[in-house]
Amino acid sequence: MLKVLVKKDVTTRYRNSVFGWMWSYAKPAAQFLVYYLVMGHILGLSRGIDNFPVYLFSGIVVVNLFNESFSNATTSIVNNKALVKKIYLPRELFPVATVIVAFVHFLPQVAILILVALLTGWVPTLAGVAVAILGMLLIVLFSTGLGLFFGALNVAFRDAQNFVEIIRTFATWTAPVLYSWTMLADIAPSWLFNIYMCNPLTVAVEFFHYGFWFTTSTGALDNPPADALFPPEHMLVYSLVAFAIAIVTIVVGQFVFRRFERNFAQDL
């Protein structure tokens, strides 16, 4: 049943569209271009970050995966109300299927990222690829947990969908996508910076930076400059906390989903 739901969402996403799957490339490309020109050049945030295009796009693709997975999972039960009301099946399949579909549409963006990184001197390493895969896994776990939680709430309280849109608006800015983590470390209290670094989205973005960008920057040279942008200290601790948060989110999301599930047919 999960396979059927995923296939349905994938095949109907761009139905009757002239360009079809090209939109999976065009949308992130347009988003990257706007951020690169406005934030990188006009506001000058690219200063101090070598190979800023790869740094920026590495973060954008992670945030896009989170935003699409989270948003689609939140509306998955309401959007499939006809099936929910008529057919008995584990209702968790709906948000899980939308997360898988988001991941499928995330892969073309990764393909572009890999191509650009290769053109700028990226040399794949086993450690870098493994860390990037962990970043994908972290986002999938975190967005699935949030999707279960807000997907259940959205059936009874449609305000949940608007609340999710607010979270998505903040998502891009609560991770080092358009700026470096050092900018926050220089001005924020240590306790606030530690909270910031434990954010699963922040950790996932840094994983992608390490996997695709770090070896193309001066930070990976044998004799890097003093201001080279290295990964944060205690990154292992931050990563373990982020994964723990993602797992707790799934547990809580599943608990809330089960509590609200009994009223789905009535509320829909």
Side-chain angles (χ1 to χ4, degrees), residues 4 23 35 58 61 81 93 97 113 119 131 162 178 208 210 214 232:
V4 171
W23 290 114
Y35 284 148
S58 298
V61 297
K81 59 183 179 180
L93 290 180
L113 173 61
L119 293 176
V131 168
N162 295 319
L178 306 176
F208 260 61
Y210 183 84
F214 184 66

Side-chain angles (χ1 to χ4, degrees), residues 149-170:
F149 181 86
F150 284 97
L153 289 181
N154 192 50
V155 176
F157 311 103
R158 300 303 164 86
D159 296 322
Q161 186 173 343
N162 295 319
F163 191 70
V164 167
E165 292 300 319
I166 295 175
I167 296 176
R168 291 183 56 195
T169 301
F170 281 97

Side-chain angles (χ1 to χ4, degrees), residues 75-87 94 158 264-265 267-268:
T75 59
S76 60
I77 302 297
V78 174
N79 290 344
N80 291 279
K81 59 183 179 180
L83 290 175
V84 173
K85 294 168 68 174
K86 295 180 180 179
I87 303 175
F94 294 106
R158 300 303 164 86
F264 278 177
D267 293 334
L268 290 172

Side-chain angles (χ1 to χ4, degrees), residues 22-88:
M22 289 299 297
W23 290 114
S24 294
Y25 299 88
K27 291 179 181 179
Q31 186 181 16
F32 163 77
L33 184 62
V34 170
Y35 284 148
Y36 178 69
L37 293 177
V38 176
M39 308 302 297
H41 285 275
I42 297 178
L43 298 182
L45 294 182
S46 63
R47 289 192 294 267
I49 301 179
D50 294 316
N51 199 7
F52 183 68
V54 174
Y55 181 92
L56 175 63
F57 198 61
S58 298
I60 286 177
V61 297
V62 173
V63 172
N64 284 348
L65 174 60
F66 171 77
N67 282 341
E68 183 174 354
S69 301
F70 183 23
S71 177
N72 292 351
T74 298
T75 59
S76 60
I77 302 297
V78 174
N79 290 344
N80 291 279
K81 59 183 179 180
L83 290 175
V84 173
K85 294 168 68 174
K86 295 180 180 179
I87 303 175
Y88 177 77

